[in-house]
Amino acid sequence: QMEIFVSSTIDYLTLHKLWSDQGGPIVLAQIENELGDTDIKSPQEDHVIQNADGTYATQQDYASWCGALAQRLQPNVVWTMCNGLTANNETINTCNGNSDCWSNWIVQHGQSNLIQVTQPALWTEVEEGFQIWGDDPSNPSDYFWSRDVTSITNDVMRWFARGGSHINHYMFWGGYNRERMSAGGIMNAYSLEAPLCPNGQRHYPKFDHLRLCHSLLAEIAQVLLNADSALNKGRAVKYKIANGSDDNSTWMVSTTEQRMFVYSNHDTDVIFVENDAAHSVLVEIPIDNEKKTKQQKKRLQQQQDSSRGDVMEIRSNSVVALVNGQIRFDSSHIDPQFLLYRRIITPLGSSSAEATSSTKIKLKWSSWAEPTTISQSNHQLSALDKRPFEQAKLAQKSRVSSDYTWYETTFSFPTRISSIDSSSSPSSILTNAKISIDTQRSNALTVYIDGIFVGAGDNHKHREGNITITVDLGNITAVAQEGWHNGHDHNISILSESLGYHNLIGRWGASTKAKEKGITG
């Protein structure tokens, strides 16, 4: 199935001449995603595919097969595999993460040990968060809600200072997460906090601050790419604490909390200056006299010690990029103009004080009735057994692509009603009733008794694995009918809805076994 999917995708892109060697825009392609990890504790857990001879293929076997497949089907494009196992001879290992990409991953030459040795440093996911149904921004259940744009640009600048060649934002456009494309528990809007909102609007000040960052990187790209990497070549910086009053404080030299990385060609010096301290510092930057601007020369002449370089203040935990001694980007400084706009999210019909007349819309709803029991007309799609069928296998067996499955059985109320007046009101049959259903994470269950809705429950987390969902049914009442007694059968129908499959294999709690949904107890 994997080969069929990859082959058909490559054929489509080739037909429409979208590869770079055809004049198209695609310069990189990725095969598979985040394979294998330290969660594997035994050889048995590492077995992902059983071969015809009874032996098993490991995750590395699968990764190598994917790399060979990609090269065989499209050898004229650069193929990557991000964050995990890599087909070393066919693909480039790339990083997914935050500060760990520049502080650890690139320093150790990636997970393949080939990065900045024989392969470039590519960062395919500068992690910036996504949103999960029902989560609180201050306490998300998984991953994280979003990141401040100064934190993002701080990481990006440090990556390129260490010889990084490429970044992708995860996500730059918030995107949409619809239908069967969605992963377990993730919102339809996917990333509300992206620089470009899901509806295409710019998210200020994120968008403009990143635009300045990208503009600088485009401007200095030729200098960075044509120079040797400055990885592990951070230079000492003369600094003193910026307290605003003590101009005579002693200058010190540091590579521990302050450092700089330098890239040069015949007419351009690019310097990244980093400050890891929790306070601002003044730093001294040496500037090539021949590359100084008139403004810089005038400022230096006014300094008491003209032999010193230029002096500037760098805020805590930030990076400043200079080109020929001029500050061109400060990761910690957001232009006040970018703060003139702010996004207000107001639910339609909201009475919020910030809601405008255009957002105070009276909502109109439409509804329709659907059967709440398994229809006899669809018996060919049904299966009968003593135990519930696992939902994914049932869908495969029935050849149906659906996120929904009906489960149905019968039960008896432990009550005998011998004679009831037809004019009487409904009788309480069960009080404070509950039903516990063994299912999987990222799954929703809706319960009906005799075709009447009685309760629902769900787990909407971005996880997988066994879980028991208990649905409060309350007091179950019904219009009593003569002849009801212990042993009388009543129908219980449970509609199972998959909220998406976990999109990892063998990593961060994800299994290497088949993904399950529905009633699995």
Side-chain angles (χ1 to χ4, degrees), residues 11 33 156 195 221 323 361 394 499:
D11 286 347
N33 183 66
V156 169
V323 178
I361 301 173
L394 180 63
L499 299 181

Side-chain angles (χ1 to χ4, degrees), residues 243-269:
N243 54 26
S245 59
D246 185 9
D247 293 334
N248 296 318
S249 59
T250 304
W251 286 89
M252 298 170 282
V253 178
S254 170
T255 58
T256 303
E257 290 191 321
Q258 295 80 29
R259 70 198 65 83
M260 63 181 178
F261 297 87
V262 180
Y263 293 84
S264 299
N265 63 15
H266 63 283
D267 61 1
T268 304
D269 288 337

Side-chain angles (χ1 to χ4, degrees), residues 432-439 443 445-447 454-459 467-474:
N432 298 320
K434 301 178 184 292
I435 182 172
S436 295
I437 306 167
D438 291 336
T439 182
N443 210 105
L445 301 165
T446 307
V447 182
V454 291
D458 72 271
N459 175 279
I467 192 172
T468 298
I469 293 179
T470 299
V471 179
D472 291 324
L473 306 180

Side-chain angles (χ1 to χ4, degrees), residues 128-387:
E128 295 165 28
F130 54 71
Q131 283 76 61
I132 296 173
W133 287 114
D135 264 14
D136 182 342
S138 64
N139 186 30
S141 62
D142 179 62
Y143 206 55
F144 47 88
W145 191 266
S146 69
R147 297 176 65 202
D148 184 90
V149 69
T150 57
S151 174
I152 297 169
T153 52
N154 181 45
D155 285 342
V156 169
M157 287 290 103
R158 290 171 187 258
W159 169 261
F160 284 101
R162 289 159 176 77
S165 301
H166 153 275
I167 61 164
N168 265 2
H169 290 277
Y170 188 86
M171 306 286 291
F172 191 84
W173 173 49
Y176 289 106
N177 189 46
R178 293 178 173 175
E179 298 177 346
R180 309 203 76 236
M181 295 170 59
S182 60
I186 301 177
M187 288 175 57
N188 296 122
Y190 199 78
S191 180
L192 291 172
E193 300 300 313
L196 270 180
C197 302
N199 65 0
Q201 291 183 327
R202 297 178 179 184
H203 186 182
Y204 295 103
K206 268 188 177 180
F207 181 90
D208 275 341
H209 194 56
L210 282 170
R211 177 175 56 80
L212 287 184
C213 177
H214 293 170
S215 296
L216 171 67
L217 292 172
E219 177 185 337
I220 63 177
Q222 290 302 315
V223 179
L224 301 185
L225 294 174
N226 286 289
D228 291 338
S229 170
L231 178 66
N232 299 324
K233 299 177 183 177
R235 300 186 185 181
V237 174
K238 290 182 69 174
Y239 80 98
K240 63 181 178 180
I241 297 174
N243 54 26
S245 59
D246 185 9
D247 293 334
N248 296 318
S249 59
T250 304
W251 286 89
M252 298 170 282
V253 178
S254 170
T255 58
T256 303
E257 290 191 321
Q258 295 80 29
R259 70 198 65 83
M260 63 181 178
F261 297 87
V262 180
Y263 293 84
S264 299
N265 63 15
H266 63 283
D267 61 1
T268 304
D269 288 337
V270 177
I271 302 177
F272 298 91
V273 186
E274 302 177 351
N275 178 25
D276 297 347
H279 50 77
S280 296
V281 296
L282 294 175
V283 299
E284 180 185 302
I285 306 301
I287 302 173
D288 188 327
N289 287 325
E290 295 182 358
K291 298 175 183 177
K292 292 176 184 175
T293 64
K294 291 182 180 180
Q295 183 180 9
Q296 290 168 329
K297 291 178 180 178
K298 182 178 180 180
R299 184 166 63 249
L300 291 173
Q301 288 172 357
Q302 295 172 347
Q303 295 176 352
Q304 291 181 352
D305 184 359
S306 59
S307 65
R308 278 209 325 248
D310 216 350
V311 176
M312 65 179 181
E313 181 176 342
I314 302 183
R315 295 180 181 89
S316 63
N317 297 308
S318 65
V319 182
V320 172
L322 302 97
V323 178
N324 288 343
Q326 288 187 310
I327 297 176
R328 299 298 302 277
F329 185 78
D330 181 345
S331 68
S332 67
H333 175 69
I334 297 178
D335 191 319
Q337 294 186 41
F338 302 162
L339 300 172
L340 296 177
Y341 303 90
R342 67 188 182 101
R343 181 182 64 178
I344 298 175
I345 299 178
T346 306
L348 294 177
S350 171
S351 59
S352 166
E354 292 185 326
T356 64
S357 58
S358 62
T359 62
K360 293 180 180 178
I361 301 173
K362 184 177 291 186
L363 300 179
K364 296 181 180 180
W365 300 93
S366 61
S367 63
W368 61 92
E370 293 187 355
T372 55
T373 59
I374 297 176
S375 171
Q376 291 299 314
S377 62
N378 288 331
H379 63 88
Q380 70 273 15
L381 298 179
S382 303
L384 182 65
D385 203 346
K386 295 179 180 180
R387 296 177 60 86

Side-chain angles (χ1 to χ4, degrees), residues 37 39 463-465 502 504-512 515:
D37 201 44
D39 285 353
R463 289 283 190 272
E464 70 179 17
H502 196 26
L504 292 176
I505 300 173
R507 306 200 76 192
W508 298 313
S511 170
T512 59
K515 310 290 185 180

Side-chain angles (χ1 to χ4, degrees), residues 3-169:
E3 182 169 353
I4 292 172
F5 172 77
V6 173
S7 179
S8 61
T9 302
I10 289 177
D11 286 347
Y12 178 88
L13 297 174
T14 302
L15 176 65
H16 292 83
K17 297 182 178 181
L18 297 176
W19 302 107
S20 58
D21 66 309
Q22 298 176 300
I26 300 176
V27 296
L28 284 173
Q30 179 180 312
I31 183 79
E32 262 298 354
N33 183 66
E34 298 181 346
L35 287 172
D37 201 44
T38 55
D39 285 353
I40 299 300
K41 297 179 176 62
S42 69
Q44 289 73 28
E45 290 182 279
D46 196 27
H47 294 165
V48 290
I49 301 172
Q50 186 172 18
N51 299 317
D53 61 1
T55 60
Y56 285 88
T58 65
Q59 292 182 79
Q60 182 59 64
D61 292 334
Y62 174 64
S64 299
W65 175 84
C66 287
L69 173 68
Q71 287 294 338
R72 174 165 57 84
L73 295 177
Q74 174 47 279
N76 297 322
V77 69
V78 176
W79 286 95
T80 69
M81 297 184 85
C82 69
N83 199 18
L85 297 177
T86 305
N88 287 342
N89 295 326
E90 292 88 9
T91 61
I92 297 176
N93 177 228
T94 67
C95 191
N96 293 355
N98 299 324
S99 60
D100 55 304
C101 282
W102 61 262
S103 65
N104 183 45
W105 187 92
I106 197 171
V107 174
Q108 296 182 356
H109 302 291
Q111 293 147 314
S112 65
N113 299 317
L114 298 177
I115 303 308
Q116 293 203 28
V117 178
T118 59
Q119 296 178 343
L122 311 178
W123 190 353
T124 42
E125 292 184 19
V126 179
E127 306 288 6
E128 295 165 28
F130 54 71
Q131 283 76 61
I132 296 173
W133 287 114
D135 264 14
D136 182 342
S138 64
N139 186 30
S141 62
D142 179 62
Y143 206 55
F144 47 88
W145 191 266
S146 69
R147 297 176 65 202
D148 184 90
V149 69
T150 57
S151 174
I152 297 169
T153 52
N154 181 45
D155 285 342
V156 169
M157 287 290 103
R158 290 171 187 258
W159 169 261
F160 284 101
R162 289 159 176 77
S165 301
H166 153 275
I167 61 164
N168 265 2
H169 290 277

